[in-house]
Amino acid sequence: MNNRPMKQTLIVLLIFISSLSFGQTRKDLLYSKIYLDGTYLDNKNEITRFQLRSDFSDTVIDNLKYRKFQTSYFTDYYGNHTTSTFYESFEKGNYCLLDHNEVVIHKINYQEINEQKGIIFGREAQISLEFINKSKNFPLDSLVLTDKTPRRYYLKDDSEIYLVIIPELLSLVVSSNGEFYTKQLFDKKYNDITTGLRNNYTASTKFDINKNDEIQLLYLRKWMNDTTNLEEHTDKQFKNLKYQGDTLVNEFKNLKFEIEGYSYLNGSYDRPEELLVPISDSGYFIGNLFIPFKEFRTELKIIETENGNDFLIQGIVCDTINGNTYQKIIQINSWPYTMNILPFFPFPFVEVGNVSGDITYKKIKGVENGSKRERTYIIDRNNIRDIINKKKNQVEVVIYFMEEAKVEIEIKEYITNKTIASERAKSKKGINTFVVRSRNYEKNKEYSVEINYKCNQSSGGFSNSVKIKY
């Protein structure tokens, strides 16, 4: 048995499954032609290069249909490339990959669920099979096997040499020769980057807006329905951002915005607050993030850092939501989020996990596009309606209860978790307003708000925040 510390299980479960996200349908996943090569040695994951695949016409070899394709390898898309040509077939339940001389690299029966004899990376040997459970349902032996289930075929005498195939997609999605692995990047955003790459999309961040121009950012939770094979979603929250004009702060020009929001999950409303965006001739800041004024284009690049290699995947994509078509610049690296930069408005935003953001409405230079969401009110469960500082020494908490409850509200400092003020009360069914008083509130400081309640048959709690204005 080979004892190389590749740790193939970690590679498959963490790297592959985390990449297998959602497209418009599962078949749409195949549109992405971007791959990453890397290695996992001594407990360290190291990305080494990119691959781009270009498919050509089908051809017949030994009476079987093969797809001819070319793979381009590089560490910087705008630098040097090397290329290789291959032939790939999924005919008659067999996966077969040939090199440019038609020599067999891989050959296995991907419909076989028992041990078989095959070829992986040119080695003919006995091949074992492992089904990969992507769900969070346990125990693992409850896994229902279908053509959607990823299958890892590996050499019986060296489990670090393997292929991962999804029969439904007819795609080799991860492979390892024991030293290096290759994985295909699956997600709608990689499909969009592939499109932008093919069409040479570019976008400038030099925006031009008027007073009272605005956008609405809607966050949604998305997932794939395994029954319909279609993407579904639920609304999570929205943010409205309106440009109010310019101001000077410490002699530096700032753009002044009003920002407000609403959560569909707990019904809480974020009241309008001021947001200042420092700006210069070279770009603007959102917090500590600097966005330069420049022309952005697709980037696929391996970046050397003091902690090893990182990567940058940047693309220009087009979205259409509610009749509103717009461009955005997306940036992906080893961090567990995607950065989105809008060319037309100075408000970058991030996406994490299965949460995605859409610009559902925009008004630029007074011209409106899309449909603006409005606040709704939850009535099928207990929820926060509002938390606001209307008067000095007072925080008003408005909560909707479906039945009478005992309520405890605590307002705390974020860093020390020290309780600044508290209130115990009883609620009635419907809308309740509680006033939490304290002389310890500090103007312009934000506090956490923790709410616990107990009803006749249930109990629960909420967490939120409040900013003191008076």
Side-chain angles (χ1 to χ4, degrees):
M1 177 71 69
N2 191 310
N3 292 319
R4 290 188 303 275
M6 185 70 178
K7 293 196 175 179
Q8 43 77 23
T9 301
L10 181 65
I11 291 297
V12 171
L13 295 182
L14 295 184
I15 296 180
F16 162 63
I17 291 177
S18 64
S19 296
L20 186 53
S21 187
F22 310 116
Q24 294 170 332
T25 68
R26 284 179 61 88
K27 292 295 185 181
D28 290 334
L29 294 171
L30 294 177
Y31 186 78
S32 170
K33 302 301 180 184
I34 304 173
Y35 297 74
L36 276 178
D37 288 353
T39 185
Y40 193 90
L41 298 173
D42 299 327
N43 295 317
K44 184 177 181 181
N45 180 40
E46 189 84 0
I47 304 300
T48 57
R49 64 181 180 179
F50 285 95
Q51 292 186 26
L52 276 182
R53 171 169 167 158
S54 300
D55 289 336
F56 302 118
S57 59
D58 292 338
T59 186
V60 175
I61 302 173
D62 294 333
N63 296 319
L64 292 176
K65 184 174 71 174
Y66 282 79
R67 171 58 56 90
K68 182 180 180 180
F69 69 93
Q70 185 178 81
T71 298
S72 178
Y73 309 91
F74 55 88
T75 57
D76 184 344
Y77 180 74
Y78 298 101
N80 295 326
H81 290 231
T82 60
T83 59
S84 296
T85 300
F86 301 95
Y87 300 89
E88 185 179 57
S89 175
F90 286 89
E91 292 290 287
K92 299 180 180 180
N94 290 292
Y95 175 71
C96 191
L97 182 69
L98 312 179
D99 68 11
H100 67 285
N101 290 320
E102 300 181 11
V103 175
V104 176
I105 301 173
H106 308 312
K107 187 175 184 180
I108 62 168
N109 183 337
Y110 61 84
Q111 294 182 337
E112 178 61 64
I113 61 174
N114 298 307
E115 188 176 295
Q116 62 176 292
K117 191 173 184 178
I119 301 173
I120 299 181
F121 284 102
R123 285 185 56 179
E124 185 172 9
Q126 289 299 114
I127 295 175
S128 298
L129 168 65
E130 174 188 24
F131 292 94
I132 300 174
N133 184 14
K134 299 191 287 87
S135 74
K136 296 181 180 178
N137 299 321
F138 292 93
L140 294 177
D141 57 12
S142 66
L143 173 65
V144 178
L145 302 179
T146 70
D147 282 349
K148 300 175 184 178
T149 308
R151 306 175 182 198
R152 187 176 73 91
Y153 295 90
Y154 59 93
L155 298 187
K156 186 177 181 179
D157 63 353
D158 191 343
S159 61
E160 304 294 350
I161 300 177
Y162 64 86
L163 311 175
V164 177
I165 290 175
I166 303 179
E168 180 205 20
L169 299 179
L170 296 180
S171 182
L172 172 66
V173 294
V174 184
S175 63
S176 167
N177 66 3
E179 296 181 4
F180 295 92
Y181 66 82
T182 298
K183 63 169 183 172
Q184 185 175 6
L185 300 183
F186 281 131
D187 199 294
K188 180 180 180 298
K189 56 178 173 277
Y190 298 116
N191 291 351
D192 293 339
I193 291 173
T194 299
T195 297
L197 187 64
R198 289 172 172 172
N199 292 280
N200 295 317
Y201 289 160
T202 62
S204 171
T205 47
K206 189 67 175 179
F207 58 86
D208 184 13
I209 56 177
N210 292 340
K211 186 176 180 180
N212 293 324
D213 281 353
E214 61 180 313
I215 62 168
Q216 182 177 81
L217 168 64
L218 173 66
Y219 276 113
L220 308 101
R221 287 178 171 172
K222 295 185 178 181
W223 67 91
M224 184 66 67
N225 186 315
D226 286 336
T227 301
T228 64
N229 287 338
L230 296 174
E231 182 181 89
E232 297 183 0
H233 71 267
T234 57
D235 297 338
K236 184 176 184 291
Q237 67 177 144
F238 67 69
K239 294 284 187 181
N240 296 329
L241 199 72
K242 180 182 288 188
Y243 176 48
Q244 301 287 297
D246 300 343
T247 187
L248 290 178
V249 178
N250 297 326
E251 299 183 355
F252 289 96
K253 181 179 177 181
N254 281 247
L255 305 180
K256 186 167 63 174
F257 295 88
E258 178 186 84
I259 184 170
E260 63 175 354
Y262 172 71
S263 170
Y264 289 97
L265 302 181
N266 60 24
S268 64
Y269 171 59
D270 296 330
R271 287 187 168 271
E273 291 190 1
E274 184 179 83
L275 173 68
L276 296 178
V277 177
I279 187 171
S280 68
D281 292 338
S282 58
Y284 63 92
F285 280 93
I286 293 288
N288 293 324
L289 177 67
F290 179 71
I291 306 297
F293 291 139
K294 71 172 189 177
E295 193 83 11
F296 283 76
R297 60 180 181 176
T298 301
E299 297 275 358
L300 301 171
K301 182 186 295 185
I302 304 298
I303 301 171
E304 293 183 6
T305 73
E306 59 183 17
N307 297 320
N309 285 352
D310 199 350
F311 62 89
L312 169 66
I313 300 176
Q314 175 180 283
I316 316 301
V317 306
C318 293
D319 274 345
T320 300
I321 306 294
N322 297 329
N324 171 31
T325 299
Y326 64 95
Q327 276 191 326
K328 63 181 179 181
I329 302 153
I330 62 175
Q331 295 177 335
I332 309 163
N333 55 23
S334 59
W335 294 101
Y337 59 78
T338 299
M339 174 63 68
N340 294 260
I341 302 170
L342 302 175
F344 52 87
F345 208 85
F347 189 62
F349 61 93
V350 298
E351 298 171 323
V352 180
N354 68 334
V355 175
S356 67
D358 293 327
I359 303 300
T360 53
Y361 168 84
K362 62 183 174 76
K363 182 169 74 172
I364 306 297
K365 305 290 285 186
V367 178
E368 296 181 276
N369 295 100
S371 176
K372 191 174 183 180
R373 294 291 189 95
E374 300 293 339
R375 179 183 182 180
T376 59
Y377 293 93
I378 298 171
I379 58 173
D380 62 349
R381 62 186 185 274
N382 302 331
N383 63 92
I384 300 172
R385 291 294 175 88
D386 204 357
I387 303 178
I388 185 173
N389 170 225
K390 287 183 177 181
K391 298 179 180 179
K392 187 176 182 180
N393 300 332
Q394 294 184 11
V395 170
E396 190 174 286
V397 182
V398 183
I399 309 176
Y400 176 87
F401 282 104
M402 296 187 68
E403 60 178 315
E404 293 181 353
K406 294 180 180 179
V407 185
E408 181 179 6
I409 303 171
E410 289 187 286
I411 298 180
K412 299 182 177 183
E413 289 187 341
Y414 270 109
I415 297 177
T416 65
N417 203 37
K418 179 183 177 182
T419 299
I420 298 299
S422 63
E423 178 75 15
R424 288 179 174 86
K426 289 185 178 180
S427 80
K428 63 181 180 179
K429 181 179 179 180
I431 296 176
N432 297 259
T433 300
F434 307 97
V435 178
V436 186
R437 295 176 173 86
S438 176
R439 295 182 178 180
N440 296 321
Y441 297 136
E442 296 181 29
K443 185 177 180 179
N444 296 323
K445 188 171 182 178
E446 189 168 6
Y447 296 92
S448 68
V449 180
E450 296 183 7
I451 303 166
N452 292 288
Y453 63 86
K454 186 175 183 180
C455 306
N456 288 332
Q457 302 296 327
S458 64
S459 62
F462 307 109
S463 293
N464 212 296
S465 64
V466 63
K467 187 171 183 179
I468 304 301
K469 297 183 177 180
Y470 301 98

